[in-house]
Amino acid sequence: MNLLTPPPVEKLDPEYADQLRRELVRKVRKRQRPAWVPVLAAACGMAVITIAVVLLSRPGDDSGAPAANTSATTPSPTVVQVPPAKSARVSLDLGQASASEARAAARNCLADMSPRDNGNAPATSADADSATVRQARWIKTMAGSGAPRILMQTFTTAKGYWFQCLGDELVRSRPNGDSPGGLNVADPVLGDWRLQQGTEAGSPLLLAEYSFVTLPSVVRMELRIRWTGGASPWYGVTFSDGAGYIAASQPGAVAKRGEMEIDVRAFDTAGKQVFSDVEYG
């Protein structure tokens, strides 16, 4: 063995190398965001188990595990690589909520904050009555049963605090309505994922939820699930105020690394795609 000659190194796929760079940058930035509750599970009566999502591991690559006896194993199924243009586009938008609907949901959303910090919470449920609603949209849910829609809204209280709520659940807040830090033209979207594995008619059902903030120029988000059997449609939502929520479901898919991937892309006010990424389950 020649110890003076370094072993050959496999060249990374350009798309995968770009993804690694993006995720490592996000890891270094480490933004603090309030945890949000995956409300569709409760709203839709869906039997689910929350699955942790690992973003920095390449699907099917478990270099830390002992080598397996490949001669006695069956090759694992792989995710189908469906071109983006081959998937249909489906809108989840169900229209604007009324002022009374938005106020009622905002009061419930802020109710849990009232007892915090010895009464010094940023807002109470009463602050919803004088808040400025910045957007309030009904979005179709994807669990397949139960509540058919959910209200996503953002609003600013008289004290200047900005809130994003999904139904009665608080997703995130900040002291003002300005765009959050960490966003730029190259990376105009930041968000939080939840994967839930459930069943429908006795078969597996994968639900992916994405709550996000964006630059003000981004007004539409789409995502789809690819799995070993194909790809879901592109599920899309429009939004304003730099915040939104979207979900997708895929019967037959399972939340298992190497057997599913989630594509996400964003569009600006001119309809130009300004962002795309792949999340690995």
Side-chain angles (χ1 to χ4, degrees):
M1 180 174 61
N2 186 355
L3 297 180
L4 299 179
T5 303
V9 178
E10 179 185 359
K11 186 177 180 180
L12 289 178
D13 177 75
E15 181 179 350
Y16 174 57
D18 181 68
Q19 182 199 352
L20 274 183
R21 177 197 60 77
R22 186 189 302 276
E23 297 300 341
L24 288 173
V25 170
R26 289 180 181 174
K27 187 73 173 179
V28 171
R29 281 199 308 220
K30 275 192 176 180
R31 298 181 61 254
Q32 289 186 346
R33 296 188 296 271
W36 65 285
V37 178
V39 295
L40 286 188
C44 301
M46 178 181 172
V48 298
I49 302 174
T50 301
I51 307 297
V53 181
V54 180
L55 299 179
L56 293 180
S57 296
R58 191 172 188 175
D61 179 15
D62 190 4
S63 56
N69 182 2
T70 55
S71 62
T73 60
T74 302
S76 299
T78 58
V79 177
V80 178
Q81 301 301 312
V82 180
K86 294 294 184 179
S87 295
R89 302 174 76 179
V90 177
S91 175
L92 300 181
D93 290 315
L94 294 176
Q96 300 284 345
S98 67
S100 60
E101 290 171 329
R103 299 286 185 202
R107 287 184 65 90
N108 292 335
C109 181
L110 296 179
D112 289 341
M113 301 191 69
S114 303
R116 297 181 182 178
D117 302 325
N118 297 319
N120 295 321
T124 66
S125 58
D127 291 320
D129 296 333
S130 58
T132 299
V133 177
R134 300 168 73 103
Q135 65 173 327
R137 309 181 68 88
W138 288 108
I139 299 172
K140 182 180 178 181
T141 61
M142 297 301 302
S145 62
R149 62 180 187 170
I150 190 169
L151 177 62
M152 193 288 299
Q153 70 169 316
T154 59
F155 57 89
T156 306
T157 64
K159 296 178 181 178
Y161 274 82
W162 178 93
F163 296 92
Q164 180 187 9
C165 297
L166 280 173
D168 296 345
E169 302 292 339
L170 176 64
V171 179
R172 54 176 59 85
S173 64
R174 53 181 183 261
N176 56 65
D178 297 335
S179 296
L183 297 174
N184 53 63
V185 174
D187 224 354
V189 178
L190 289 173
D192 296 304
W193 289 95
R194 292 291 184 271
L195 294 185
Q196 299 178 44
Q197 186 69 65
T199 59
E200 185 176 59
S203 299
L205 177 69
L206 177 63
L207 173 66
E209 299 176 273
Y210 189 45
S211 167
F212 54 86
V213 290
T214 70
L215 290 178
S217 58
V218 179
V219 297
R220 181 173 178 81
M221 189 74 67
E222 294 181 349
L223 66 84
R224 68 175 181 173
I225 297 172
R226 281 183 294 108
W227 59 302
T228 56
S232 74
W234 286 104
Y235 294 105
V237 294
T238 55
F239 55 92
S240 57
D241 200 30
Y245 164 83
I246 192 171
S249 65
Q250 179 56 57
V254 295
K256 185 177 181 181
R257 187 181 308 149
E259 296 187 19
M260 54 78 63
E261 297 175 356
I262 303 172
D263 299 323
V264 58
R265 61 186 185 180
F267 299 83
D268 64 11
T269 53
K272 177 183 176 182
Q273 182 174 315
V274 294
F275 173 83
S276 65
D277 205 355
V278 179
E279 301 290 343
Y280 293 86

